Every structure is written in C-alpha cells, then in structure tokens.
Amino acid sequence: MTHPAFYEFGSPVRVVSGLTALERIPGLLEDLGAARPLVITDKGVRAAGLVDVLTGALGNGLEPGGIADEVPPDSSVAAVREVAHRFREARCDGILALGGGSVLDTAKGVNILVSEGGDDLMAYSGAGALKRRLKPLIAIPTTAGTGSETTLVAVIKDAARQVKMTFVSHYLIPDAAVLDPRMTLTLPPHITAATAMDALTHAMEAYTCLAKNPQSDAAALAAVALIAEHLPRVMAAPGDAHARLALANAATLAGMAFSNSMCGMVHNLGHAVGAVCGVPHGTCMAIFLPYGLEYNLHKNGPLTAELLLPLAGPEVFARTPAYHRPFRVIEAVRQLNRHLRERTAGRHACSLQEVRDARGQAQIPRERLPEIVAAAMRDGTAIYNPEDLDREDVLMVLTQAWEGLPLDRTRVRQG
Amino acid sequence: MHLPELVEFVNPVKTLCGRRALEHLPFELQSLGACKPLVIRSDDAASRDRLRLLARVLGQAGLSLGDAAGTPGHPGPSDVQDLAAIYRDKDCDAVLVLGQGALVDLAKLVNLTVSAGALDIAELDTGGRGLAGLRPLGVIPTGVPTGDETTGSAALAGKTFRGPRLAPRLWVLDPRVLGDDDAATTADCFWTTVTHAAEAMLGPGANALNSSCAAAALKLAAAYGPAGIEGRATPEDRLWLANGAGLAGVAFDNAPAGLAHRLAVALAPEARQPAGRLMGVLLPHVLEDAMHSGDDHVAGLLQPLAGIAVHAATPQDQRASQVVARLRQLLVRFYLATGGRTPRTLEDAGLAPAALETAVPGGPVAEAPEERFREILAAAWGGRGGDPSPRRHP
Amino acid sequence: MATRWEYRDHGPIREILRCAYLTPMLWFMGRAVAAAAAVDTDVRREFDTLPTPFTFALGVWPAGPAMVVAKGADGRVRYRGGRTAGVDIDLLMQIKHLETAFQMFTFRESTATAFARNRLLVQGDVANAVPVARVLDMTEVYLLPRVIARLAVKRIPRWKPWRTWIGRLRIYWRTLWGY
C-alpha cells in the first residue's frame, strides 16, 4: 500500500440520507437553533415541484420564512445581495439550499452577508477571511453529481468587475446535507447520466491524482462501486427510489473524496469546455474521464487497475491479467458512456463533436479548440494532475476527444 | 450495499497526518479563530520535549500557547475545574491535548466546560445544540492510541459522557511526537480498531457512508498493526496504525456499539484485562454468528482486511469464512509474539467459566438473544469455531 | 488527590536562521522571474495571459519573508521587493509555515507536492495562480541544475540545450546586476 507522506482530510458535514430524510429537517434545524429558514432555490427546481415536496415534508410544525427562487444558473453577486435582503426582511434565522451547485454557492454567499452583516461580499473573499460560525445552512441537493454539499468553497461571479470570487472557509461547509430520492426521482435520463458520470469522475480522479489519501480512497472506492451498480439500474427504471438514493450517496461520497484530494486534468479540460462553449459540467466529465485515465497511465497504471474491482466486480477483476486491468477500466468507462448514449437516445455524448444544445445544434465546433486550450491553461486543477500538461498536450487530447478516438499513447510525453 | 431507510453520518474531525503535520496546526487554529491554545499534557521529560517542539512550531507562525502540565493518575472533576480556570485566567481560546488516554478525555471535558461557560461538569450538554459555540479542540496523540482520540465520548472518575459536542475538531498525527508502546498495548489498539470498524460495517444499520470510513480504518489496521505487535514496526507503521484507530473511532461513533465491543467491556473488569484484547478474542465468534444468521456484510470485510487482489480471487461464498480464518490466525500470531500476554481465548484471558454466566452486555441486545450470546461466549472461552455447518436459529 | 497543574506561557518566536536563508532566496527568485519574463518567450506568454496590471506575491504565512512581482500597465514585469504589507496584491500565495517554506526552498519538497499536501494558501482569483505556478516552474528550470530542477518540477520542458544555457546565463546576469 502506498500512502502520501502527509495528507489532510476534513469533511464535517452531517449527512442525513434515506427515503424519509426530508422529514428529519425540522429536527436538524432545531439542533442547530433555527426555527425560520429561508428556502433558496432556482426557477427550474420550483417548476419541477420540488419546493412543494420539501414544504410538504416539513409539515405543519415548521413554516419557512420565505422561498427565494431567483438564483440564476451562474451564481452572481447581485443575486446574493437580493436574496440576503429577502432573508433580512423575512427575519429568517437559517437557510435551506435546495438545488445544484449554483444554488448552494449563492446560499453560501447569502449566509456570509446575513451572518457577518453588510453588503460587501468582497471583504470576505479568499481563504480564511471568515472567523466565526455562520447561520445554520442545510443543503438539499437535487442532482446526484456535484458533491458541492460537502465542500468548503463558494464561487460567485462579480459581473461588474468581471471576476469570479472564491471564498474558502471551514465555516462555509454546510451544517448538514439531506439526501432524499424524492429530490432526484424526476431528473430526466440525460441529466441523470451526466451527473452520475460527474460523480464517477470525482471518485476516479480522487483515487488517482496527487493528493489521494486513505480516507479519500475509501470514499472514492465506495462511490465507484455504488455508481457502477446503480446507474444502469436507474437508467432502466428511473423510478427506483433505492437506486436513486444510492446514486445520491455516491455523489456525496465522491464529493467528500475529491474535495479533500482534489482532481486533475479531466476537470481541467471540462472546466475549459464549459467556460468556452457553455456545455454542462457533467457532459464534459463523461467525455474526458477515459482520456484523463489514459493520459496519466504511465504514472497511475496500478491505481487505475484497482478501480476495476468496484467498477466491474471481483470476477472480471480476477479474470483480467494485472497488466491489462488499467486498460480494462478505461474500456469499461467508454462502454458505460456508450450504454448511456443508447439509453438517452443519443443525448449523452461520447465525444465533443456529439455535444448538442437544446435546439440540436453542435455546441463545440472544431475551430474553437484553440480557445479551449487557452482556457484550460488557466485552470487550477492542472496542479493536481500527476503528469504535466502544456498547450500541445491539451490540444492533442482535445482533438482526440473531439473525434471520439482513444489517445495515441506514444504521443504522451512522460516526465 | 444496503441502504437503510434513514441514516445519519458525520465525521467532525479534520485529520492532519504525516510528515510535518504539526506545521499545519497554526493555520488551522487561526482559521478556526484561535491564536492561543491551552496545551494539556503530562509532566514528564518526553512530554517536555514534545511541548518544546509544539511551542516552536506555533511560535514561528506568531501564535502563543499556554502550557499546562500535570500528572493526574485518575483525573477527576477538580482537574476539569482547575484547567478551565487556567484557560479563563490566561485568556486562552482553544484546547490542545498532547497525550494519551485519560488526558484526552480530560481535554474533551475541559473544552466543553469552557465553551459552555459551565461551572460544574454535571451541567454539561454533550449533544443537543450541534456544534455552535464550541471552542476548537485538537488532539495530538503521543503513543499507541486507545481509539477514543476522535470519538465523542469521555470517561471521568467512573462516569461516561457521550455526545457530538465532545468530539475534537482537529486530530494531528505527526511522527515526531508519536511515540512507541509495548506489543500488548499495540495489540489492544489493533483489536479495538478492527472490532469497532468491523462491527460498524455489520448489521441492519450498516450504510455506505459509515462503511467507507470503517473500511479505511480496517485496511490501515490490517496493513500496519501486525508489524507493531510482532516488534518490527517502523515509525511509519505506527503512524498509519494510529490513523486507522482514529478512523475506527469515527465509525464507532456513527454506529450502535456492536456485540463484541459490549461483551468485551462487560468482561474486562472480571478479566482484569483491557477491553481491546477481549474484543479480539470475541470478534471471530461474533462474526461467525452473524454469518450463520445470514448477515452478508461479513464477506465485505475481506477486501479491507486482505486487499483487493485476495478479495477478488476468493469465491463469493468463501469470503466470510476467510475473514474469520484470518482473524483467528492473527490471534494465534499475536499470542506467540507477546509470549501469551494477548489471549487467543477467554480461558487464556484468565476468565473462569463461572464468570461468563454473570456477564451481560450493556444496552439492548437486539442482534442476539441471550442464548446466542451465551453460545458466543462459550465458543470464545474454549476457542472453538470454524464449524462449516450453519447453526440454525429460530 | 488533586493534581497540581504547572502553567507556563510560550510566545511567538523570531526565527533568524530560516529567515536569513529564505529572504535572499525569495529576493533572488523574484528578480529571476522578472528576468525570465524579459528573456524567455514561454514565460512571457504566461504573463500575457494574466490581467494588466497584475501584482502577485509568494511568501510565508502569516507575515514571513516574501517576494512581490508586478506586471505593470506597460506590460513589463518587475520585482517589487520583499514586503507584502501596504502593497495592493491581486494574487497572494502563502506557504502555511516557515519550516515548510524552508523544505520547499531547499528542494526537499516540490511545488506540486506542496500543493498536493495543501501546504500553500492561495488568495485571489485561483485561475491566475496557474500561469504564475508555471512561470515559477520555468524559472526554476533555468536557475537550477537539471538534477535539482527535477526535484522541484513535475516535468522538465524539452528545450534545446542552447536555449537552456543561453537563457540561464542571461537570466543569472539580469538577476544579479539588474536590467
């Protein structure tokens, strides 16, 4: 067993998971000393009827102080200020963040303002600017993917100054994450597929990148096993609450793993494609995951090989010769992608050229690859990737991923 | 993996583990809003050296510390009050403990007392209000852990306190301060870790979140424990075993106490042995019982215990018995390595058969009615087991 | 019987030896970065991706030795001294402890490893930290002999030998004597 000479791991969020997890919220709030929470969410979540499910589960004992559904798809300073204003107006004392990544980022930003006072988020940006506990915040994820309910980071865009502000603090970790399958039962198949692949990427990168450690490893292996077993089940029977719950657990476990061990080039490339072409994060993760594993193979082979057990089961693992296991893992991920493409009638893309927007237009024209390269060179996750990546490397990987062809391993430069 | 109707899991402890871990402490303390921790330690030469290192590491980063040294054999409420008074007088804002066992429990209670502003430990609220208002508490183990370093439980003067507000926020494992201990003590640590981790992965409440934590603990203990007990441990081995022990503590806090744990605690006073050793003796029998009564989680222990390759190469229906066989093998190895100080059976542990009659585990015994835990005790007394035919239970 | 608790205070320490090593190292590194920006096209290109003007600092948390480098409104990169106080810094990278900084600057722990072990603290727009980290890596490749540089960076760039050697001479010259 190889271990890092030093590691840090912290994931103090209380996770409540189950078929009746939502009903536990009043009790959690009482423990945290809050009685009048503000529900922060977005229009899509509200339209899907999830706010009603939540308020129904809260029962008569707990009346939310209000429902703020004006969170934009990308969290922004303006939205944070507006929601903070609502919080104060309604004299709330806690937050229920119901939604995906941007809802949670917004909720964290709101919590900074309403706990510390004032309207100036900027004063608290960076690491370590917060010095005390904020108001109670409970995260209720509505996709099983991002894992952001476990992180201590919030990213909020300041449109006026054209910067993304990053907030890092222990105090930004939600007090609790509530995982209830009722929140993900109605997700359409292609989003289920993309978000689950996002979680799978978190887990696999956490297991193979530079900051891996025994605690993140355990969470990552558990997440891979859950996804491998339950994703095909959910695709076949979207109403399977147990399998949905398993995917939600996997996403949280993967979140715990990657937020401590960080992630590598799959995220690097994915962030870049997302920023340049506006492609959903999970879609990018699904496409790049096999490439990330392939690119780092010479440094990571033995670690990638170990992923075969949770991914394909003990029989396949034992049958596969040791030297062939990492290749088998990469092949299994590609196979899973193809299976998902089939199940979603082609909406789940396996290559960059297959990515389409809502109107069916190709979203990533080949001419834009150089722009994506430039964006990738400015993404922080490159630091945790085992092998170095320069412009030529990124372009080489992007070209293959655009075509949907495996990497030519002889073209990977080894450091 | 089963997913029960409703589970809760929390690991409130942040781990800083490995080379120069202490150097991360100043930043962590500062980001929790502390700049002058009260360090509680025992008053001896080795502890003085460790304090000197800690004072240097904190001092270089511009932090102060208050050093409280004492040698309480059996700490009592007066120690909690004295230390709380020092904390308040000297304007400290966090509690660190540089030490082991009873000292860690003491620090947990001191921190809760100063955080709650309580005067008497009888008034302490150990659960309830979440973590609000708690001062940061950091544990820096200095020897083979007891497994309570990361838990929300503390014992003082014969009374046990339990609750999430007792668990530390930081847990620092640095090889420079992590000392050695004898083989039998290491065996206690090993069996406590393995038992707590294994039992957290069993039963109807077992869930993916806690099992992942327990699996990490089991994996570390299995990989690094035997070397320590057989006297060939490197400082690295000790570090990783300690790491496993702490993780098992987290898993233990998130699951109901298992049968091997409770039987061992009930028998320990009579056997005049640390409960850890008895857990080791009982665990294979408890697992065998679980296996025969259809708990398919036992097989899942093989992967962390023996590694991915062994797990994959063992046929599904043999994994559970393989787990039990491996544990039995370890019992015998440790018995030989420690010259008989770690028992293989309850008889080795010096218990008379009559003592078994009176032993009753604390708490409700939902997983095993009385005749079954009597059976387990009887088997563990003589070291019987390995019977391939499943026993039938009503 | 009640225990007697002996109490003693320990205060902050001024570490002269470590600082005496790190201060000139950071001074040298800071000036070398500015020199490399003038000499090497790849380093220049990384600076071009940063906003203009832009100031970054690398130092020891909380107030230890540091280096401040600024890209001015004219695009020229200059070393701006060893003090972070009172300077408007866009990107602040701090090593969490003096001892850790000493390990890094004696090349016993590479930058990537230090990042993986979470030994650095980054404040400001994280996207800008990446070009800066690459600049620092390339500067180290120029300054250090290959054997040592290998310990400091993930992959040594495949430069032609003349590029490394001429670049190295020019960067050393500019670093030591100004430019």
Side-chain angles (χ1 to χ4, degrees):
Chain A
M1 217 186 312
T2 50
H3 288 309
F6 172 82
Y7 82 90
E8 286 186 4
F9 187 97
S11 193
V13 55
R14 173 177 295 276
V15 183
V16 179
S17 149
L19 303 179
T20 55
L22 291 175
E23 277 77 1
R24 261 291 281 147
I25 293 175
L28 289 170
L29 283 170
E30 195 188 326
D31 281 355
L32 293 163
R36 207 175 142 75
L38 178 70
V39 178
I40 300 180
T41 185
D42 61 33
K43 297 252 172 356
V45 170
R46 193 163 200 179
L50 299 182
V51 174
D52 301 331
V53 177
L54 172 65
T55 47
L58 292 182
N60 299 329
L62 189 90
E63 192 67 33
I67 291 157
D69 65 359
E70 54 264 43
V71 176
D74 262 330
S75 56
S76 76
V77 172
V80 168
R81 287 213 187 103
E82 209 177 302
V83 178
H85 182 71
R86 296 263 317 252
F87 185 100
R88 289 175 184 137
E89 289 259 284
R91 297 180 186 285
C92 295
D93 55 6
I95 296 173
L96 297 178
L98 176 69
S102 78
V103 165
L104 195 52
D105 279 347
T106 307
K108 286 175 178 175
V110 170
N111 205 4
I112 295 175
L113 288 187
V114 299
S115 305
E116 293 287 336
D119 245 355
D120 181 19
L121 259 187
M122 195 61 203
Y124 305 102
S125 77
L130 295 166
K131 298 280 183 245
R132 54 203 167 115
R133 285 183 75 81
L134 306 177
K135 300 220 182 279
L137 169 66
I138 296 179
I140 310 158
T142 54
T143 59
T146 63
S148 55
E149 64 275 11
T150 64
T151 64
L152 71 171
V153 187
V155 181
I156 294 165
K157 257 194 200 150
D158 186 343
R161 295 189 306 121
Q162 293 222 317
V163 290
K164 262 196 208 164
M165 289 190 287
T166 311
F167 303 82
V168 185
S169 167
H170 286 294
Y171 298 117
L172 286 177
I173 300 175
D175 294 290
V178 176
L179 311 178
D180 192 306
R182 281 171 282 176
M183 295 291 106
T184 52
L185 272 178
T186 52
L187 272 185
H190 68 283
I191 298 183
T192 304
T195 48
M197 289 306 286
D198 185 14
L200 185 67
T201 306
H202 288 155
M204 288 195 157
E205 287 217 287
Y207 197 76
T208 53
C209 285
L210 289 179
K212 73 188 249 90
N213 61 67
Q215 294 188 54
S216 70
D217 284 356
L221 288 177
V224 174
L226 285 172
I227 295 168
E229 185 183 343
H230 296 280
L231 178 56
R233 255 187 229 179
V234 170
M235 296 310 288
D240 183 339
H242 267 99
R244 289 277 187 190
L245 183 61
L247 287 187
N249 272 273
T252 300
L253 279 162
M256 290 174 169
F258 96 93
S259 61
N260 280 283
S261 72
M262 311 312 283
C263 38
M265 67 182 279
V266 179
H267 274 77
N268 187 337
L269 301 176
H271 288 162
V273 173
V276 174
C277 303
V279 178
H281 182 67
T283 304
C284 305
M285 294 298 101
I287 295 171
F288 287 122
L289 177 57
Y291 293 96
L293 297 172
E294 247 173 352
Y295 185 85
N296 290 309
L297 200 61
H298 56 286
K299 295 215 164 164
N300 273 349
L303 297 175
T304 308
E306 290 173 7
L307 291 172
L308 187 60
L309 181 68
L311 195 63
E315 283 71 30
V316 174
F317 183 93
R319 242 193 350 250
T320 312
Y323 71 90
H324 193 59
R325 283 176 193 152
F327 300 99
R328 190 75 186 71
V329 168
I330 295 164
E331 189 39 43
V333 174
R334 291 212 160 102
Q335 240 165 29
L336 183 58
N337 267 335
R338 285 194 295 269
H339 170 77
L340 295 173
R341 181 172 57 185
E342 216 170 278
R343 282 273 168 195
T344 56
R347 289 199 72 175
H348 181 85
C350 295
S351 66
L352 295 179
Q353 62 172 332
E354 288 173 12
V355 179
R356 316 251 156 217
D357 60 15
R359 285 167 297 141
Q361 298 288 315
Q363 242 181 321
I364 311 170
R366 198 173 183 147
E367 311 82 77
R368 298 197 77 177
L369 295 190
E371 251 176 279
I372 298 172
V373 174
M377 295 315 282
R378 286 167 51 76
D379 189 84
T381 48
I383 293 169
Y384 303 98
N385 195 57
E387 182 56 275
D388 216 349
L389 270 173
D390 63 19
R391 285 185 171 71
E392 289 165 45
D393 302 323
V394 172
L395 186 61
M396 188 265 290
V397 177
L398 280 174
T399 315
Q400 298 299 102
W402 195 86
E403 298 274 5
L405 298 170
L407 279 192
D408 176 1
R409 289 274 310 140
T410 57
R411 289 175 65 198
V412 177
R413 288 175 293 164
Q414 307 188 358
Chain B
M1 174 57 62
H2 297 259
L3 291 155
E5 294 283 299
L6 189 68
V7 293
E8 287 199 32
F9 172 79
V10 63
N11 174 2
V13 194
K14 177 159 188 180
T15 313
L16 308 174
C17 169
R19 192 180 298 159
R20 299 190 190 279
L22 285 178
E23 271 81 348
H24 286 243
L25 196 51
F27 174 76
E28 294 297 330
L29 285 171
Q30 208 256 6
S31 59
L32 289 166
C35 56
K36 187 185 177 188
L38 177 72
V39 181
I40 300 173
R41 66 177 178 95
S42 62
D43 194 8
D44 56 61
S47 164
R48 261 195 295 283
D49 290 342
R50 292 178 176 127
L51 190 273
R52 216 170 289 140
L53 174 68
L54 181 63
R56 188 176 129 96
V57 168
L58 294 190
Q60 283 177 333
L63 269 69
S64 311
L65 70 82
D67 163 28
T71 322
H74 300 283
S78 67
D79 290 302
V80 176
Q81 269 152 21
D82 291 352
L83 288 165
I86 294 176
Y87 177 100
R88 292 190 190 106
D89 283 353
K90 305 294 178 184
D91 288 324
C92 296
D93 49 19
V95 175
L96 292 179
V97 52
L98 194 58
Q100 284 310 100
L103 223 47
V104 174
D105 288 4
L106 181 60
K108 288 177 183 173
L109 290 165
V110 170
N111 192 55
L112 194 51
T113 308
V114 297
S115 300
L119 294 173
D120 189 344
I121 57 168
E123 302 166 12
L124 289 179
D125 168 19
T126 56
R129 299 187 300 118
L131 305 178
L134 270 186
R135 297 307 311 160
L137 168 66
V139 176
I140 311 170
T142 55
V144 173
T146 57
D148 256 336
E149 285 69 16
T150 53
T151 61
S153 55
L156 189 82
K159 199 171 166 226
T160 305
F161 300 81
R162 263 197 102 159
R165 285 169 68 78
L166 283 169
R169 284 302 299 275
L170 293 167
W171 170 45
V172 190
L173 290 167
D174 190 313
R176 288 170 297 175
V177 296
L178 197 63
D180 201 359
D181 228 322
D182 65 82
T185 314
T186 310
D188 293 337
C189 167
F190 174 85
W191 285 120
T192 310
T193 305
V194 169
T195 305
H196 286 172
E199 294 199 314
M201 293 171 77
L202 297 182
N207 63 84
L209 295 154
N210 199 31
S211 291
S212 95
C213 184
L218 198 51
K219 202 165 166 178
L220 289 170
Y224 300 99
I229 298 158
E230 293 173 341
R232 49 190 169 81
T234 62
E236 298 273 280
D237 294 338
R238 285 201 292 275
L239 179 78
W240 294 112
L241 175 62
N243 203 320
L247 290 177
V250 174
F252 178 72
D253 259 5
N254 280 290
L259 193 57
H261 170 94
R262 283 183 295 153
L263 286 171
V265 170
L267 290 170
E270 181 67 33
R272 291 165 205 232
Q273 297 253 15
R277 276 170 227 192
L278 304 179
M279 286 182 208
V281 172
L282 289 160
L283 183 64
H285 300 281
V286 170
L287 292 182
E288 215 163 36
D289 181 73
M291 197 172 118
H292 291 315
S293 53
D295 188 336
D296 52 5
H297 288 113
V298 181
L301 302 179
L302 188 61
Q303 185 184 329
L305 201 61
I308 282 177
V310 172
H311 168 87
T314 311
Q316 168 79 41
D317 57 348
Q318 289 172 28
R319 285 188 195 130
S321 48
Q322 188 60 233
V323 168
V324 174
R326 280 184 175 250
L327 293 175
R328 280 187 210 285
Q329 231 170 32
L330 288 175
L331 275 175
V332 176
R333 262 170 71 183
F334 298 164
Y335 177 80
L336 296 173
T338 57
R341 277 186 304 149
T342 55
R344 295 161 302 180
T345 61
L346 293 180
E347 187 183 15
D348 285 344
L351 282 165
L356 305 184
E357 295 298 316
T358 54
V360 177
V365 194
E367 67 270 43
E370 181 158 345
E371 69 272 15
R372 261 170 64 202
F373 78 71
R374 293 277 165 236
E375 255 178 56
I376 291 172
L377 284 175
W381 191 81
R384 278 188 285 113
D387 174 12
S389 63
R391 275 171 279 170
R392 235 172 289 130
H393 294 297
Chain C
M1 198 189 78
T3 321
R4 247 175 62 87
W5 291 93
E6 301 278 350
Y7 181 85
R8 263 190 70 195
D9 265 316
H10 294 259
I13 298 167
R14 258 190 70 79
E15 185 67 53
I16 295 160
L17 218 64
R18 297 271 189 270
C19 289
Y21 175 80
L22 285 170
T23 308
M25 277 300 269
L26 283 161
W27 174 86
F28 198 90
M29 188 73 189
R31 287 173 61 103
V33 166
V39 166
D40 185 276
T41 48
D42 281 354
V43 175
R44 183 69 243 174
R45 192 152 65 150
E46 295 297 344
F47 270 106
D48 289 341
T49 67
L50 292 167
T52 310
F54 182 80
T55 307
F56 75 87
L58 173 66
V60 181
W61 184 86
M67 58 175 239
V68 182
V69 175
K71 173 179 153 191
D74 57 353
R76 236 184 102 175
V77 179
R78 292 184 182 84
Y79 172 66
R80 280 289 158 82
R83 299 177 72 87
T84 49
V87 185
D88 192 9
I89 291 168
D90 299 295
L91 178 77
L92 177 59
M93 301 202 290
Q94 288 181 305
I95 303 165
K96 281 186 192 164
H97 199 273
L98 189 69
E99 192 58 44
T100 321
F102 189 69
Q103 295 288 314
M104 279 175 70
F105 281 92
T106 47
F107 312 107
R108 280 178 281 181
E109 195 166 280
S110 77
T111 323
T113 309
F115 265 107
R117 294 181 185 163
N118 208 4
R119 310 246 207 227
L120 274 89
L121 182 64
V122 179
Q123 303 205 43
D125 192 346
V126 183
N128 292 327
V130 184
V132 169
R134 257 187 231 115
V135 164
L136 293 175
D137 272 1
M138 282 191 272
T139 310
E140 284 185 49
V141 171
Y142 271 122
L143 293 181
L144 303 170
R146 205 184 161 83
V147 215
I148 299 180
R150 203 190 285 273
L151 304 175
V153 303
K154 261 191 231 170
R155 181 168 82 186
I156 307 253
R158 283 191 200 167
W159 293 336
K160 297 268 185 301
W162 55 264
R163 176 175 168 186
T164 313
W165 280 103
I166 296 179
R168 183 171 290 168
L169 286 175
R170 289 176 65 194
I171 288 170
Y172 265 102
W173 182 262
R174 279 173 169 258
T175 303
L176 290 169
W177 309 115
Y179 36 86

